[in-house]
Amino acid sequence: MPSVEPPYDQGVDESCGLSWRSVMNLLPGRARAESETTNQSGTATLWVVAATALLAVVGSLATTVVAVIAAGREADTAADLAALSAAAKGSMSAGRSTHCDIARRIAAAHRAQMTACRAGPDFIEVHVEVQPHGPLGAWFTVRSQARAGPPRVVPP
């Protein structure tokens, strides 16, 4: 190991027998570093790789959480719009299949899959599912439901 020479000799008193080299050797770990050779090549690389992997995992989890929350809102919107559209499309006595077909088309237009539809004389109930986007979104399914009736005209 090359010796370290001071840029100038201020503060070193040669009459006491202190030189720059002897002062440096008194520092903790200095003597050991000169007598023992430690090989730490690659240690920083491993820390950088570990930190990068940790950031990737945390980023994927955060992205998935946001995607699931967004999918929940999409499912709510699709169910609401499907039920309202089917209910507004005419008389509830027009038939279950007509209203459920309308609800299915509206749900599909909003990237949702209708899983159940129930139509009564004065209501329609729609159940939908949405798959979240994102790296882990395929592991989750978000479900929502909505219920609506025919529009009521309120006299003025």
Side-chain angles (χ1 to χ4, degrees):
M1 186 173 230
S3 64
V4 178
E5 296 295 329
Y8 50 90
D9 286 332
Q10 287 182 344
V12 177
D13 186 6
E14 295 294 333
S15 63
C16 299
L18 292 176
S19 67
W20 176 258
R21 190 168 294 145
S22 64
V23 170
M24 290 300 289
N25 285 333
L26 294 176
L27 295 175
R30 181 71 178 169
R32 185 181 65 233
E34 287 182 359
S35 64
E36 299 174 6
T37 305
T38 57
N39 185 8
Q40 292 187 2
S41 62
T43 304
T45 303
L46 291 176
W47 280 107
V48 168
V49 168
T52 303
L54 180 66
L55 285 174
V57 168
V58 169
S60 292
L61 291 176
T63 302
T64 301
V65 168
V66 170
V68 168
I69 291 169
R73 298 196 182 209
E74 288 175 12
D76 290 342
T77 301
D80 288 343
L81 291 175
L84 287 171
S85 296
K89 218 39 173 165
S91 166
M92 295 307 286
S93 62
R96 176 188 182 278
S97 63
T98 305
H99 292 289
C100 290
D101 288 340
I102 293 168
R104 184 178 322 295
R105 283 190 309 224
I106 298 296
H110 289 276
R111 204 183 62 86
Q113 179 180 0
M114 190 172 77
T115 58
C117 179
R118 194 175 70 152
D122 61 347
F123 73 92
I124 183 165
E125 188 173 296
V126 177
H127 296 255
V128 298
E129 290 182 348
V130 173
Q131 288 289 138
H133 294 291
L136 304 175
W139 293 359
F140 300 96
T141 300
V142 180
R143 294 178 180 88
S144 184
Q145 67 181 19
R147 184 178 173 131
R152 293 196 173 98
V153 178
V154 179

